């Protein structure tokens, strides 16, 4: 198939593109290479993709309406994996307009491209952040998600609503994937694992929010990619059993789905830090701080719908995943902060 992967120079985008190319798909990778974090890391990810047969790169912002219209008209994609977005909960407090441009305007451009280009399936990144103020655990797709606690979460909830509209009006199969704290080699520098490893190796204290009383359903990148690929290969279908008198948020008469992808095993932040210390062979200096605005104390994915739909359940342990990340980090950066290689 010919597949558009947006955010191809990103963490999940690079790994997903590699898997699609390895099985023989043609991948057009799109990214704007912005400076939300170090563009050199994005270029290094792209350097892994460029030599692979079947890959082409397009530098473009998804918010570029005319450019996106042209791209979809010229390429006629079979399927689309939309991973480009302005990420980060805390950054949304400082730069809200970046989220409106990328996550709202950009998403409309993707939907319109898929509609007019007659793509057979749109798979897009949502987030566990949509669960917001929910306290019922584990988080289920069948629960209401009407109480976001960050603008980032609100834009991801909006994406799900927008996708449903296009599935209903135009019959476009759409599947939103609620990712739960993705980590692993080539990960984002603004994520806790990257920040912790960098600080510990440089002998600096790490900031431990909510005084360490946080739990996250850390999900390893290989498990995320496996879920993305399996979902991509099974387009959303209408649910004949949908009852409009008792509407289920996880169901629809339209070809629309939302699915959690998480490890279904929340880990305490202090246990996560212990896994990092073990992998590094170093102790962390800890700076305990209050919870940050927009953060939630716990995430925990119910994944029975994912298992039912794809026959796949993430299962990589945090110790294994952290060990793999540390090995990559040391190969890429060494034990300091300077880049040494791109392997």
């Amino acid at each position: 198939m010919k597949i558009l992967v947006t955010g191809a120079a990103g963490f999940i985008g690079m790994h997903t593109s590699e898997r699609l190319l390895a099985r023989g798909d043609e991948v057009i990778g799109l990214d704007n290479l912005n400076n939300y974090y170090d563009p050199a890391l994005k270029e290094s990810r792209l350097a892994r993709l460029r030599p692979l047969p079947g890959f082409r790169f397009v530098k473009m912002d998804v918010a570029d309406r005319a450019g996106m219209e042209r791209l979809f008209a010229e390429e006629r994609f079979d399927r689309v994996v939309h991973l480009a977005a302005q990420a980060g909960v805390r950054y949304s407090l400082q730069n809200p307009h970046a989220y409106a441009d990328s996550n709202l305007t950009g998403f409309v451009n993707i939907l319109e491209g898929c509609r007019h280009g007659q793509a057979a399936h749109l798979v897009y990144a949502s987030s566990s952040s949509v669960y917001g103020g929910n306290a019922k655990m584990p988080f289920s797709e069948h629960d209401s998600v009407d109480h976001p606690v960050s603008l980032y979460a609100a834009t991801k909830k909006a994406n799900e609503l927008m996708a449903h509209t296009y599935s209903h009006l135009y019959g476009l199969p759409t599947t939103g994937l609620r990712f739960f704290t993705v980590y692993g080699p080539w990960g984002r520098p603004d994520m806790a694992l990257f920040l912790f490893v960098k600080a510990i190796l440089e002998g600096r204290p790490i900031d431990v929010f909510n005084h360490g009383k946080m739990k996250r359903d850390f999900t390893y990148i290989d498990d995320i990619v496996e879920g993305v690929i399996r979902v991509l290969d099974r387009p959303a279908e209408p649910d004949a059993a949908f009852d409009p008198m008792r509407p289920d948020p996880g169901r629809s008469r339209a070809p629309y789905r939302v699915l959690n992808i998480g490890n279904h095993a929340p880990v305490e932040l202090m246990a996560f830090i212990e896994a990092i210390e073990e992998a590094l062979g170093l102790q962390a200096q800890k700076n305990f701080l209050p919870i940050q605005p927009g953060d939630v104390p716990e995430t925990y994915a119910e994944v029975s719908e994912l298992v039912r739909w794809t026959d796949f359940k993430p299962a990589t342990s945090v110790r294994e995943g952290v060990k793999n990340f540390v090995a990559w980090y040391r190969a890429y950066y060494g034990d300091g902060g300077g880049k040494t290689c791109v392997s």
Side-chain angles (χ1 to χ4, degrees):
M1 296 183 289
K2 181 190 282 191
I3 299 171
L4 171 65
V5 177
T6 71
F11 172 34
I12 302 174
M14 182 205 78
H15 285 280
T16 301
S17 296
E18 283 184 328
R19 283 285 302 277
L20 291 169
L21 292 163
R23 73 177 196 177
D25 291 319
E26 179 183 356
V27 173
I28 287 77
L30 181 144
D31 206 292
N32 65 359
L33 300 177
N34 68 20
N35 62 356
Y36 169 63
Y37 60 81
D38 184 8
L41 180 58
K42 300 178 183 181
E43 291 286 0
S44 292
R45 295 189 189 119
L46 272 182
R48 290 170 59 90
L49 296 175
R50 289 185 193 273
L52 300 178
F55 181 78
R56 284 185 287 136
F57 178 65
V58 175
K59 185 178 180 182
M60 189 184 299
D61 195 310
V62 290
D64 178 351
R65 178 177 170 182
M68 293 300 290
E69 285 177 353
R70 242 184 347 263
L71 180 69
F72 273 91
E74 290 170 0
E75 298 290 351
R76 311 296 292 187
F77 301 109
D78 296 306
R79 296 183 185 181
V80 175
V81 180
H82 177 50
L83 302 170
Q86 179 56 60
V89 168
R90 294 170 197 153
Y91 185 64
S92 67
L93 304 178
Q94 282 80 50
N95 196 349
H97 294 288
Y99 292 78
D101 293 343
S102 182
N103 301 5
L104 300 178
T105 300
F107 196 66
V108 171
N109 291 339
I110 291 291
L111 288 169
E112 279 290 281
C114 290
R115 169 197 170 193
H116 293 292
Q118 298 182 312
H121 192 196
L122 166 63
V123 174
Y124 62 94
S126 185
S127 168
S128 62
S129 298
V130 300
Y131 290 103
N134 288 17
K136 175 177 167 282
M137 297 288 170
F139 292 148
S140 168
E141 301 93 335
H142 305 297
D143 296 333
S144 167
V145 287
D146 291 334
H147 299 90
V149 296
S150 69
L151 180 65
Y152 169 68
T155 63
K156 289 300 185 178
K157 162 72 170 174
N159 287 171
E160 295 179 0
L161 295 172
M162 295 156 75
H164 184 272
T165 303
Y166 273 68
S167 295
H168 170 75
L169 290 173
Y170 308 114
L172 170 66
T174 66
T175 305
L177 300 179
R178 294 173 178 172
F179 297 141
F180 280 69
T181 315
V182 189
Y183 74 103
W186 296 95
R188 285 191 357 234
D190 61 324
M191 297 294 284
L193 176 57
F194 201 112
L195 293 169
F196 288 171
V197 169
K198 186 174 191 295
I200 293 168
L201 284 173
E202 293 174 358
R204 294 183 291 105
I206 61 174
D207 290 337
V208 182
F209 293 108
N210 200 29
H211 305 284
K213 296 172 184 174
M214 307 273 271
K215 287 185 178 180
R216 288 291 181 269
D217 205 343
F218 294 101
T219 315
Y220 190 62
I221 183 62
D222 290 358
D223 289 334
I224 290 287
V225 172
E226 183 67 28
V228 169
I229 300 294
R230 291 196 186 206
V231 167
L232 183 67
D233 288 343
R234 188 176 177 189
E237 300 168 357
D239 182 1
F242 179 75
D243 183 358
M245 296 299 292
R246 290 184 294 275
D248 180 339
R251 296 278 187 264
S252 179
R253 284 176 172 169
Y256 163 89
R257 291 194 73 91
V258 290
L259 295 168
N260 291 336
I261 299 189
N263 217 40
H264 192 61
V267 173
E268 292 182 355
L269 182 56
M270 296 308 295
F272 187 64
I273 293 169
E274 286 173 10
I276 296 170
E277 292 173 327
E278 180 182 298
L280 287 171
L282 297 167
Q283 289 293 116
Q285 307 167 52
K286 303 171 187 73
N287 181 26
F288 292 97
L289 296 169
I291 195 167
Q292 297 293 286
D295 275 356
V296 297
E298 183 175 358
T299 64
Y300 180 7
E302 170 58 65
V303 295
S304 57
E305 290 293 333
L306 176 71
V307 174
R308 189 159 29 246
W309 194 251
T310 66
D311 196 30
F312 171 70
K313 181 179 180 179
T316 304
S317 72
V318 159
R319 271 186 158 67
E320 180 185 350
V322 166
K323 182 180 176 183
N324 292 343
F325 174 84
V326 167
W328 166 79
Y329 186 96
R330 282 180 151 152
Y332 187 82
Y333 290 108
D335 278 359
K339 184 165 78 69
T340 58
C341 67
V342 295
S343 62

